[in-house]
Amino acid sequence: MTIAVSALLDPPPAEQALEVVERKGLGHPDTICDALAEELSLSLSRFYLQRFGYVLHHNVDKVLLRGGSARAAFGGGEVSEPIEIYLAGRATCEHRGVRVPVNELAVACCEAWMKRHLHALDVARHVRIHCLVRPGSMELVELFERGRAAPSRLANDTSFGIGFAPYSPLERAVLEVERALQRAPAAERGEDVKVMGVRTGARAELTLACAMIGGLLPD
């Protein structure tokens, strides 16, 4: 494969007239979906390594969160419909005659993550987890087997991308505001946080959206 490198000639965001930056906290649905997909991959990889000595084929990056329903009230409130989480993708469900407990691993790792990071959520009562992972194709499973003996890494996809640039002052400010909320936990504040920064010329404004726990707010 030929690698081509070209220069990006546009001015960096910090030097442009308008800049918009957004940061989503741990309780935002997008962040939850990304985190649970990562947790399932890690859980499967640990199982594969412990039982077989190497990581088997899996691709579990498809997660859907269907929001629940709640009645909000100062000093109270209640959840009327639970959050529904659907995990989908492919994984090696059996190897060398050994069953891989994909469903059990999925539920356990997702519940553990939410209990660690979402302090006001009663996971047992207010969340339903559905594992829709199915076995992968024989071609991809065999590719992982051949990859162990191959002199170089074998790829199971045809596209990749990577990038990095130093944070602009606005990006650093937005990131630090979101992290400051994490570092200073408060019982009445939820983790569903979003920080948006908009800079026009030399003037910047931040907008903060933060979930609150109604039962812990008297007014």
Side-chain angles (χ1 to χ4, degrees):
M1 180 177 65
T2 301
I3 298 177
V5 179
S6 59
L8 182 64
L9 301 178
D10 292 335
E15 296 178 10
Q16 297 185 29
L18 176 66
E19 183 182 9
V20 180
V21 178
E22 182 180 81
R23 171 77 174 180
K24 298 171 182 176
L26 283 174
H28 190 281
D30 293 351
T31 309
I32 293 173
C33 287
D34 288 346
L36 297 186
E38 184 77 6
E39 285 296 303
L40 179 51
S41 178
L42 290 171
S43 184
L44 286 169
S45 297
R46 283 192 290 265
F47 184 92
Y48 294 147
L49 285 169
Q50 291 169 1
R51 295 303 300 270
F52 310 115
Y54 58 97
V55 176
L56 298 174
H57 170 257
H58 66 280
N59 183 7
V60 289
D61 61 336
K62 310 296 187 297
V63 180
L64 169 69
L65 188 152
R66 181 191 184 195
S69 298
R71 180 186 63 82
F74 288 118
E78 62 181 355
V79 175
S80 54
E81 294 288 341
I83 297 168
E84 304 269 356
I85 294 174
Y86 299 85
L87 302 113
R90 302 287 184 175
T92 303
C93 301
E94 184 176 350
H95 188 61
R96 298 176 183 169
V98 177
R99 173 183 169 269
V100 180
V102 176
N103 287 13
E104 294 90 334
L105 291 172
V107 173
C109 73
C110 290
E111 288 183 346
W113 186 91
M114 287 185 285
K115 288 176 182 178
R116 286 198 309 273
H117 296 290
L118 308 177
H119 79 279
L121 185 66
D122 187 336
V123 176
R125 295 174 55 208
H126 300 151
V127 181
R128 300 289 182 269
I129 300 171
H130 309 275
C131 182
L132 308 178
V133 176
R134 290 183 173 177
S137 68
M138 289 303 301
E139 292 81 4
L140 288 176
V141 173
E142 292 172 355
L143 177 69
F144 272 63
E145 290 285 347
R146 289 191 287 114
R148 297 175 58 219
S152 59
R153 295 285 185 179
L154 299 179
N156 70 336
D157 209 335
T158 57
S159 60
F160 67 93
I162 186 168
F164 172 77
Y167 292 135
S168 70
L170 182 63
E171 287 174 324
R172 285 197 300 270
V174 168
L175 180 60
E176 281 306 312
V177 168
E178 189 273 328
R179 285 180 172 174
L181 291 173
Q182 286 192 51
R183 288 194 297 264
E188 69 275 8
R189 188 174 64 236
E191 290 83 9
D192 188 357
V193 173
K194 183 188 287 186
V195 183
M196 183 180 72
V198 178
R199 179 187 56 76
T200 305
R203 178 180 175 81
E205 295 182 349
L206 298 183
T207 302
L208 172 63
C210 181
M212 308 300 287
I213 311 303
L216 301 177
L217 293 176
D219 54 40

